[in-house]
Amino acid sequence: MIEVKGLQKSYGQVHVLRGVDFEVATGSIFALLGSNGAGKTTVVKILATLLKPDAGTARVHGIDVARRPADVRNAISLTGQFAAVDEILTGRENLVLVAQLRHLKRADRVAGELLTRFGLTEAADRKVATYSGGMRRRLDIAMSLVGNPPVIFLDEPTTGLDPQGRIEVWQCVKELAGRGTTVLLTTQYLDEAEQLADRIAILHEGRIIVDGTLTELKQLLPPVKVEYVEKQPTLEDVFLAVVGSRGTDN
């Protein structure tokens, strides 16, 4: 569903992406894991046609992002680091507005179905200003799904949320993949990638340094024996080992 080869991007003398390669299977959750400044958001912006790469190619839903950006936009949805909801409107009004902007028929019905799907029916007619952080994020993701795009990009979707809000968003993301949506998730939270992703790539200093399933990544480190009990390495152990061995971010 997503294919990235040799992606490069620089800002002056600052090389943000230095040749990024990865693939995302249809209907899966792919986590792009990295520290602040690793280049995660730059990758998402390129895939969402908001930024042009200096070199390399990227295809989303079989479409070249540089040659056919309008077609790519019709196949994707992007949820940024902060919820893009109108606090003056109600949850239902936010969804109806997006449906109307996408020229969908029966916008009220579309809104109602998404409110039910994301557990927001009881709060549907309340102003979004009264929503909790987790509720706003769920509404934001629901708005991204108006029109049923096959691919959705979630750029650090749980930034600033409390533990309960994070769990609510995790449930939403798992449901997306369960319904066949392909999800590319960027995060700096190791437990988030561990909980959600079918496949994880660690981006460090502009390059993918490891890419695999959680089981495959854990096999990069030997188990630790403590009092004769074998301890499997966590994703945090893997991340710190592979990143730490390559120095610190610029």
Side-chain angles (χ1 to χ4, degrees):
M1 183 61 77
I2 301 173
E3 184 180 14
V4 174
K5 292 183 178 180
L7 215 56
Q8 297 181 34
K9 184 64 182 179
S10 298
Y11 297 99
Q13 299 300 313
V14 180
H15 302 293
V16 180
L17 303 180
R18 302 168 181 262
V20 172
D21 303 90
F22 64 86
E23 294 182 357
V24 182
T26 301
S28 67
I29 301 175
F30 183 90
L32 194 57
L33 179 63
S35 306
N36 284 333
K40 303 185 301 297
T41 297
T42 299
V43 171
V44 170
K45 286 183 176 180
I46 290 173
L47 293 176
T49 75
L50 300 176
L51 196 63
K52 291 185 178 180
D54 297 332
T57 61
R59 300 176 70 85
V60 177
H61 199 44
I63 308 167
D64 188 292
V65 300
R67 296 178 180 177
R68 296 165 56 194
D71 292 332
V72 171
R73 290 173 197 142
N74 287 331
I76 67 169
S77 188
L78 169 63
T79 297
Q81 295 182 20
F82 303 99
V85 295
D86 192 323
E87 296 186 354
I88 298 176
L89 302 178
T90 66
R92 188 186 308 278
E93 288 169 341
N94 270 277
L95 287 165
V96 168
L97 176 61
V98 174
Q100 291 174 338
L101 290 173
R102 286 183 175 268
H103 306 290
L104 299 182
K105 297 179 180 179
R106 306 190 69 177
D108 287 334
R109 180 176 178 179
V110 171
E113 290 174 348
L114 286 168
L115 288 165
T116 299
R117 177 174 167 184
F118 284 88
L120 294 169
T121 303
E122 293 185 3
D125 298 310
R126 283 168 37 196
K127 291 186 182 298
V128 173
T130 68
Y131 284 18
S132 67
M135 292 170 68
R136 293 186 193 194
R137 205 46 157 161
R138 279 152 52 201
L139 176 63
D140 194 28
I141 295 174
M143 290 165 62
S144 297
L145 292 179
V146 172
N148 296 314
V151 181
I152 183 169
F153 300 120
L154 301 177
D155 190 16
E156 302 199 24
T158 62
T159 297
L161 295 184
D162 59 25
Q164 180 58 39
R166 293 182 71 204
I167 291 172
E168 291 175 2
V169 172
W170 289 357
Q171 292 172 340
C172 291
V173 174
K174 289 177 181 178
E175 183 182 339
L176 289 179
R179 290 173 174 256
T181 303
T182 301
V183 179
L184 190 152
L185 168 80
T186 73
T187 183
Q188 58 182 314
Y189 300 127
L190 304 177
D191 59 337
E192 188 158 273
E194 194 163 6
Q195 284 284 335
L196 294 176
D198 299 303
R199 196 169 188 88
I200 300 164
I202 297 179
L203 182 64
H204 183 63
E205 295 184 345
R207 292 187 175 93
I208 299 292
I209 53 178
V210 291
D211 178 356
T213 65
L214 180 60
T215 299
E216 290 169 345
L217 296 190
K218 286 184 175 183
Q219 290 174 351
L220 295 175
L221 297 182
V224 178
K225 290 186 177 180
V226 180
E227 295 182 356
Y228 307 103
V229 178
E230 192 174 81
K231 175 181 179 293
Q232 293 295 325
T234 66
L235 179 59
E236 182 175 4
D237 294 329
V238 175
F239 179 87
L240 293 177
V242 298
V243 170
S245 65
R246 290 166 172 78
T248 58
D249 287 335
N250 294 329

